[in-house]
Amino acid sequence: MTRFKPNLITAALLASCSTLMTGGVFAQQSNEEVTITSTEQEQRANEPGENDQGLERIEVRGFATSLIQSLNQKRFSDTVSEQISADDLGGLPDVSMADALTRLPGISAVRTGGQAAEINIRGMSGDFVFSTLNGREQVSTSGSRSIEFDQYPSELISSAAVYKSPKASLIEGGVAGSVELQTASPLNNDKQHTFNVNARGMFNDRAGEVSDAEEFGHRLSFSYQGKYLNDTLGVALGYARLFQPSVSTQFVGLAYNATKDVDNDGDEEFLSEGFEFQHKGGEETRDGYMGAIEWAPVDTFTLKADAFFSKFDSEEFARGFRVKLGGASAAVANPILNDNAVIGGTFNRTSQSFTRVELVNDDNQDYDEVASFGINADWQATDNLTLAFDVSQSIAKSNFRNGLLWALVGEDANAELPAFDSDISISYLLHGLDLPDVGFSQADAFTDLDKVMVTKYGIYPYENEDELNAYRFDLTYDFDDNAFLSSVEFGARYSDREYSNDRSVFEYGSDSSFSASQPPLRLTDDMVEVVDWEGDFSYLPSYLSIDLNSALNAWFPSGIPQPVKTWGAGSPGVINGPGEGPNTSWTMLESGKVFEKVTAAYVMANIDTELFGLPVTGNVGVRMVETEQSSTVLQDVSEDIIDPETGEVIDTRGNPANGAQYITDDAGLVNDFYRPALLTDKYRDYLPSINLNFKLTDSEQLRFAAAKVLGRAPINRLFANATVRVEDVQAFRDQDTGEIVLSKPTAIISGSATNSPYLRPFYADQYDISYEKYFEDTDGAFVAAVFYKDIKSFINTFKEDPFDFTGNGFTVPREITVLVTDEEGEPLFNDDGSRLSVQVPTENGGYETAVNNDKGGYIRGAELSYTQIYSFLPDMWSGLGMSASYSYTESEIQTQTTLGGASVEQTLPGLSENVVAATVFWEYEDFETRLSVRWRDAFVSKQVAVNEQVVNFDSETVIDYQASYNINENLGMLFQVNNLTDEPTKSYFGSEAQTGTIQYFGRQIFLGVTYSL
């Protein structure tokens, strides 16, 4: 078999790799022409008779540079991939890498706070996306495997690649795809020294609607690359700072979690828990640092050490009101239905319903850090043999503190014993994806200091740390004269990962009434501010915004209590507590560690041959992966103690014979129900892959790829934290009848075990075919691709309701003790001075669990992309160009949701059937402008309300604009608008009539300068 010009093909691949390392995009920083070619190609192009065999010389400037370089990298890649590059640190204009990646075909983003944070690839959510930095696996502050790309400043990233088809040498883990980020390699910089400064001011045009919100922010970055000692030592340094306001005005609907026959037809309808209206504001500060030292004392050896660190701090407040409709116990008048779900009506408080309007002043603080360190040695031992060794560490830390302050309306806040105003009526009507109509009987009191009182404070921190240490060895042997293979690669990798999370809590007061034992706080003028709604929300009643620190200092003059990890005095198994009080055992049971050890090895042959007269390149290989995953857990080993004479249960205690231990919490409470244990699972997988590239003509090629892929469960879902909770019930004595009235006749037992170290990965067989046409007369390309993923299994969450807790080995009470108060919340006592109480029976509720579902299904789709620079146009219009892509994705996999009441099917999270991205740009002399549009149709994703909810999101169109002007060779100016049309985020529960969220984030306007030297 004849080998087809291997040197030329190898040169093209080397040119592509060199381009990937050095990058070259957004020449608003430089007027220099960019040549994408290698030295060997230039030499061959000048040899007699070889001009027709050399790769074409592409000379472009400005934004077109990024497009052409990305196309060249894609063209000569050995996998199905998409590429982004920058011509120096600070070249990418995007706020984060998430924004940058969404310009690529098949890539879309989920906006958090109005900005892209998580990316979706080919209709699959971030949980299915694997990410590396400089070829090394990255842990995440998200507590899962989904990388939060807004943690990575685009100014510190030189290039990025999205691998849609894997190869054996790539680290496993991406069912949807793998994202590779690269920082600078200073010895590959084409200049001896480069220095760049980027400074931009920013303004959010909605911040003025939110009291105390910041309107202005800034972005600042510095970067340097230099070569020393006869180009044997390279240094790269970078710093990027982002300070921006975080602003939104929003409506949030809550899940449908109750039923009631509201129209007296004999069938029960579904009721929403309620809804929220909020002003959100705050500040986000991100500081990123990058450094690299590269040493190449000889041509055959390179040693590189690099480090990346990013600190992202967010301090955010949310103010407004949270409406709790009261569930089945509320009195409902004039109900309006959508099928069997209530979407409007009047809800009146009853003695059992706890219908209310809470004035909320939430204070959320989120402090995140990511760090990545690595040392890489690359040695060409002989002309044919290359060895590489890499050691790395990736660390992520997150400290999220969710502080909540509730206020309710009382009858008279100046009374000696203030009484809660229980005369509450709430009317509302949802309007689908538009804001609802609402009415409150207490609306005039929302700004009245003589009525509003602070009734509860709660703080619920969530801290997690994730650390991964990895070691990797790779060997490549090049063949001098082989008709089929250009080289063969072997490698091995070992990683050791430890994830930990800690929960804690402090609560004081009541969010549903006035507590006598923990009385409400009387507000004063210096603690509050009257807040009005503006714009689309101006029809809502004003409310009191409460200064959190002032209120807490007045409520707790001896010092604000701090959250602790504690069983709680009312937790079963506590042996040294008062016998009554809250049960916060979840803080102990949901705290723990996950350990993951992965050993992998691969062999891969790189193909460079000719088949039926067509040049063929690519690779074929297999990767073996052995995974051991473990989780700490506290297992309940309590047993009933039976009176031998009566046969009655006289107590329940932990059994030491089964490993029960005395476990002390941070508050000093001791529980003897549990034994510490470590649960472990171990499994091995073999992942074959093949990538083939057929060169049809000098400008056309056809790709085929097939592989078995896996994606492990999110790291936090490997933590075994099965929990069982008993619902709280309130009791008071009716002053007219003397009867004791219960808020609910029974206490519902519910449980969850959606996390387990025995969860196996998602598995899929995937296939890709793509056709690529590169234009010859102008710069650009047309690419068409189809893909098919056969999902073998995925993690499915389901709920059994009712669930037999006792029959399945859970220790749960048959009844609970409820303390009785009067109608004002004052405690009542028996004749002997003890607290009056009643026994309330328990009732089995739902138990939610997760398993690896054997039944998978397909995900399939098609992608089209078109890029062209219209250089054939006359004069000033020759700088006009366009880059556009369209993706279609469909899947037969459906999940079930009951958030809207009835069980309905949802698509996989992150899947939009249609995604469109387009950029029109124009460059003329020193001026450049472009308009970018990203549209995706409806999809499913997470919405954070009172609890995390997976809901349906409406389609959205995000438009960005940018213009720049180079004043001289070194200095440039930039103007940029993100979210040009102030596109909101809107979601719903299965049906558009059942509103989920309506959020407006405002436009971000940037004005700045760039300086390069």
Side-chain angles (χ1 to χ4, degrees):
M1 184 177 293
T2 303
R3 189 179 181 198
F4 181 84
K5 299 180 179 62
N7 292 332
L8 191 57
I9 296 175
T10 303
L13 293 172
L14 289 173
S16 177
C17 293
S18 175
T19 302
L20 178 62
M21 296 301 294
T22 57
V25 65
F26 302 110
Q28 70 258 21
Q29 299 184 6
S30 174
N31 290 322
E32 296 186 12
E33 293 185 343
V34 179
T35 301
I36 304 175
T37 183
S38 69
T39 302
E40 183 177 355
Q41 291 169 13
E42 291 177 347
Q43 292 172 347
R44 285 184 166 272
N46 293 327
E47 292 176 5
E50 291 293 319
N51 289 339
D52 58 335
Q53 298 175 6
L55 296 177
E56 69 270 23
R57 178 185 176 93
I58 304 175
E59 297 181 346
V60 292
R61 295 187 298 173
F63 178 69
T65 305
S66 69
L67 302 178
I68 301 307
Q69 288 200 345
S70 296
L71 287 176
N72 275 273
Q73 293 163 13
K74 177 184 179 71
R75 183 175 187 176
F76 302 118
S77 173
D78 58 354
T79 65
V80 179
S81 64
E82 310 292 344
Q83 313 277 346
I84 297 178
S85 63
D87 53 13
D88 208 332
L89 291 178
L92 291 172
D94 306 276
V95 174
S96 73
M97 287 309 302
D99 292 290
L101 291 168
T102 55
R103 298 199 305 269
L104 299 175
I107 315 297
S108 54
V110 178
R111 293 192 294 163
T112 300
Q115 294 182 347
E118 174 190 301
I119 68 166
N120 305 151
I121 299 179
R122 287 181 165 177
M124 302 187 75
S125 71
D127 287 335
F128 300 92
V129 178
F130 184 77
S131 301
T132 61
L133 179 67
N134 296 326
R136 303 168 185 132
E137 181 178 1
Q138 298 297 290
V139 296
S140 172
T141 58
S142 66
S144 66
R145 299 185 194 273
S146 175
I147 295 298
E148 296 184 319
F149 285 95
D150 55 356
Q151 189 83 48
Y152 294 82
S154 61
E155 297 95 331
L156 302 184
I157 303 299
S158 292
S159 63
V162 177
Y163 295 101
K164 297 177 179 178
S165 68
K167 56 182 178 179
S169 59
L170 291 177
I171 304 174
E172 74 289 340
V175 173
S178 297
V179 177
E180 163 66 6
L181 305 180
Q182 288 278 351
T183 57
S185 177
L187 288 182
N188 284 325
N189 192 20
D190 58 352
K191 296 181 181 180
Q192 199 70 23
H193 299 277
T194 57
F195 177 71
N196 291 288
V197 179
N198 187 325
R200 303 179 193 180
M202 71 160 294
F203 169 74
N204 187 296
D205 68 350
R206 266 196 182 264
E209 298 182 6
V210 180
S211 175
D212 296 331
E214 288 284 343
E215 292 183 287
F216 297 95
H218 60 263
R219 289 177 64 186
L220 182 65
S221 67
F222 304 90
S223 64
Y224 167 76
Q225 292 188 74
K227 293 185 285 190
Y228 301 88
L229 303 179
N230 296 319
D231 295 349
T232 62
L233 180 67
V235 176
L237 298 170
Y239 168 72
R241 177 178 175 83
L242 169 70
F243 174 81
Q244 66 181 9
S246 172
V247 176
S248 66
T249 308
Q250 63 185 27
F251 167 85
V252 180
L254 306 182
Y256 286 68
N257 59 3
T259 59
K260 182 184 179 74
D261 183 5
V262 297
D263 56 1
N264 300 315
D265 65 351
D267 296 323
E268 292 192 335
E269 286 74 37
F270 294 101
L271 303 176
S272 169
E273 182 181 350
F275 51 85
E276 302 174 350
F277 285 97
Q278 290 184 341
H279 284 123
K280 298 186 72 174
E283 304 168 358
E284 295 178 346
T285 305
R286 183 188 64 202
D287 290 290
Y289 307 83
M290 186 282 302
I293 298 177
E294 197 169 14
W295 181 49
V298 294
D299 292 340
T300 57
F301 179 79
T302 302
L303 181 66
K304 181 183 178 184
D306 57 78
F308 176 89
F309 177 80
S310 177
K311 188 174 187 292
F312 199 130
D313 294 341
S314 173
E315 297 183 355
E316 184 181 76
F317 62 80
R319 300 168 182 165
F321 30 84
R322 179 180 297 122
V323 176
K324 292 297 187 73
L325 295 174
S329 300
V332 183
N334 304 316
I336 299 175
L337 304 179
N338 175 62
D339 294 331
N340 62 340
V342 177
I343 61 171
T346 299
F347 286 69
N348 298 303
R349 183 181 175 106
T350 67
S351 59
Q352 299 181 26
S353 71
F354 294 96
T355 304
R356 62 193 184 274
V357 179
E358 305 166 358
L359 303 184
V360 294
N361 286 263
D362 299 350
D363 179 47
N364 299 326
Q365 299 173 335
D366 194 0
Y367 304 109
D368 295 341
E369 295 179 4
V370 296
S372 179
F373 309 97
I375 298 176
N376 180 273
D378 192 284
W379 178 39
Q380 186 176 344
T382 69
D383 289 342
N384 301 91
L385 180 63
T386 302
L387 307 176
F389 179 74
D390 189 274
V391 58
S392 64
Q393 182 181 62
S394 177
I395 302 172
K397 298 180 181 179
S398 178
N399 183 0
F400 177 67
R401 298 173 67 87
N402 182 19
L404 308 178
L405 190 72
W406 286 267
L408 298 172
V409 174
E411 294 178 357
D412 183 2
N414 301 304
E416 182 177 353
L417 294 175
F420 173 67
D421 180 8
S422 59
D423 185 12
I424 300 172
S425 181
I426 301 167
S427 297
Y428 81 102
L429 175 62
L430 299 181
H431 291 302
L433 300 180
D434 295 317
L435 292 172
D437 297 329
V438 293
F440 308 108
S441 62
Q442 297 176 324
D444 293 339
F446 291 168
T447 57
D448 192 344
L449 279 177
D450 294 327
K451 292 184 178 296
V452 175
M453 301 189 75
V454 174
T455 63
K456 183 177 179 179
Y457 171 65
I459 184 168
Y460 312 89
Y462 193 113
E463 299 179 55
N464 67 67
E465 295 187 13
D466 204 349
E467 181 176 325
L468 182 143
N469 296 292
Y471 311 87
R472 178 171 178 168
F473 173 76
D474 296 277
L475 179 153
T476 302
Y477 186 84
D478 296 313
F479 297 113
D480 289 327
D481 188 15
N482 188 294
F484 186 73
L485 300 179
S486 62
S487 64
V488 63
E489 298 180 35
F490 304 89
R493 178 180 179 271
Y494 173 78
S495 65
D496 189 349
R497 184 172 187 173
E498 179 178 321
Y499 167 82
S500 66
N501 61 292
D502 284 290
R503 302 301 311 274
S504 55
V505 65
F506 171 76
E507 290 182 313
Y508 184 87
S510 171
D511 61 352
S512 59
S513 62
F514 287 7
S515 171
S517 59
Q518 298 174 334
L521 171 69
R522 170 78 165 85
L523 293 169
T524 56
D525 286 327
D526 60 326
M527 299 181 190
V528 300
E529 177 186 356
V530 175
V531 176
D532 301 320
W533 299 87
E534 298 183 17
D536 295 334
F537 294 77
S538 60
Y539 67 97
L540 297 174
S542 302
Y543 64 93
L544 287 180
S545 167
I546 303 171
D547 183 82
L548 181 69
N549 290 328
S550 297
L552 294 181
N553 287 328
W555 216 3
F556 308 105
S558 60
I560 301 172
Q562 296 302 305
V564 294
K565 182 166 61 176
T566 178
W567 297 107
S571 174
V574 171
I575 62 176
N576 63 336
E580 61 183 47
N583 178 359
T584 56
S585 59
W586 57 269
T587 64
M588 299 290 291
L589 300 176
E590 294 182 13
S591 299
K593 294 184 177 182
V594 172
F595 307 94
E596 182 181 79
K597 298 179 180 180
V598 178
T599 303
Y602 74 92
V603 58
M604 184 176 75
N606 293 309
I607 301 169
D608 191 350
T609 188
E610 187 176 280
L611 183 64
F612 303 118
L614 294 177
V616 180
T617 58
N619 56 73
V620 59
V622 63
R623 187 175 186 89
M624 184 280 295
V625 184
E626 186 170 272
T627 305
E628 180 181 301
Q629 54 199 35
S630 306
S631 170
T632 61
V633 65
L634 294 178
Q635 294 180 324
D636 189 337
V637 290
S638 59
E639 294 181 355
D640 291 337
I641 300 176
I642 309 297
D643 187 318
E645 296 182 358
T646 64
E648 296 180 353
V649 177
I650 59 176
D651 199 2
T652 303
R653 293 267 59 90
N655 187 348
N658 293 332
Q661 298 182 14
Y662 294 115
I663 300 176
T664 305
D665 66 18
D666 292 347
L669 296 177
V670 180
N671 193 309
D672 73 346
F673 269 22
Y674 298 89
R675 71 172 180 186
L678 185 69
L679 306 180
T680 302
D681 189 25
K682 191 172 183 179
Y683 53 91
R684 178 179 293 182
D685 295 293
Y686 294 91
L687 307 175
S689 61
I690 185 170
N691 291 273
L692 297 176
N693 182 21
F694 300 88
K695 186 176 181 181
L696 304 178
T697 67
D698 287 343
S699 60
E700 295 175 284
Q701 58 190 25
L702 183 70
R703 293 185 187 270
F704 170 78
K708 179 181 180 181
V709 295
L710 66 78
R712 298 184 183 90
I715 193 73
N716 55 358
R717 295 201 65 177
L718 297 180
F719 175 58
N721 65 340
T723 59
V724 176
R725 299 183 183 183
V726 181
E727 185 180 28
D728 291 332
V729 177
Q730 287 79 34
F732 71 91
R733 175 176 284 168
D734 190 297
Q735 62 183 5
D736 297 325
T737 66
E739 294 181 357
I740 295 177
V741 179
L742 300 176
S743 61
K744 297 179 180 179
T746 60
I748 303 297
I749 302 171
S750 61
S752 173
T754 56
N755 300 342
S756 169
Y758 300 110
L759 290 176
R760 292 295 179 90
F762 299 79
Y763 292 103
D765 294 335
Q766 65 176 43
Y767 309 90
D768 291 84
I769 299 177
S770 64
Y771 167 77
E772 302 170 8
K773 167 66 176 178
Y774 296 88
F775 303 144
E776 297 178 295
D777 297 331
T778 63
D779 301 325
F782 170 77
V783 179
V786 294
F787 64 90
Y788 184 93
K789 294 180 184 287
D790 182 10
I791 306 295
K792 299 299 183 181
S793 67
F794 63 98
I795 298 174
N796 191 25
T797 301
F798 68 91
K799 185 176 184 180
E800 183 177 342
D801 191 0
F803 179 78
D804 184 1
F805 285 90
T806 301
N808 283 279
F810 289 90
T811 301
V812 294
R814 296 181 177 87
E815 57 185 18
I816 62 172
T817 301
V818 178
L819 300 177
V820 182
T821 68
D822 62 17
E823 292 188 9
E824 305 300 330
E826 295 293 332
L828 297 179
F829 299 90
N830 294 309
D831 294 338
D832 60 1
S834 62
R835 285 290 304 273
L836 178 63
S837 63
V838 293
Q839 298 302 115
V840 178
T842 60
E843 179 183 353
N844 285 331
Y847 187 73
E848 192 173 40
T849 188
V851 297
N852 284 96
N853 192 334
D854 289 334
K855 181 182 177 182
Y858 66 75
I859 300 175
R860 62 191 181 192
E863 297 170 350
L864 300 175
S865 66
Y866 162 78
T867 298
Q868 188 165 14
I869 301 168
Y870 304 119
S871 54
F872 53 84
L873 294 176
D875 301 329
M876 62 183 295
W877 299 112
S878 61
L880 184 66
M882 181 178 183
S883 178
S885 66
Y886 166 74
S887 302
Y888 174 80
T889 309
E890 65 178 18
S891 175
E892 65 178 347
I893 301 175
Q894 300 287 324
T895 61
Q896 298 290 321
T897 179
T898 57
L899 290 175
S903 179
V904 297
E905 290 187 340
Q906 286 182 328
T907 61
L908 282 174
L911 192 150
S912 289
E913 279 197 354
N914 300 282
V915 177
V916 176
T919 299
V920 177
F921 59 93
W922 179 56
E923 301 169 11
Y924 180 66
E925 294 184 349
D926 294 314
F927 177 74
E928 174 189 319
T929 185
R930 61 180 175 270
L931 185 72
S932 299
V933 179
R934 301 189 302 272
W935 175 84
R936 65 182 303 183
D937 64 8
F939 63 101
V940 170
S941 190
K942 298 173 184 176
Q943 162 193 300
V944 177
V946 176
N947 298 300
E948 188 176 272
Q949 304 171 154
V950 178
V951 298
N952 300 81
F953 279 79
D954 190 34
S955 61
E956 61 181 24
T957 303
V958 180
I959 303 176
D960 300 329
Y961 173 75
Q962 181 173 319
S964 63
Y965 179 74
N966 290 323
I967 298 173
N968 56 41
E969 185 176 320
N970 305 110
L971 182 65
M973 296 187 63
L974 176 75
F975 174 73
Q976 183 175 346
V977 182
N978 292 344
N979 196 18
L980 185 64
T981 60
D982 191 14
E983 178 76 355
T985 292
K986 298 182 178 182
S987 69
Y988 51 92
F989 297 110
S991 167
E992 290 188 5
Q994 297 171 254
T995 316
T997 56
I998 300 175
Q999 300 170 301
Y1000 289 87
F1001 306 104
R1003 301 171 185 84
Q1004 287 185 320
I1005 302 170
F1006 295 87
L1007 181 63
V1009 296
T1010 60
Y1011 181 81
S1012 61
L1013 186 65

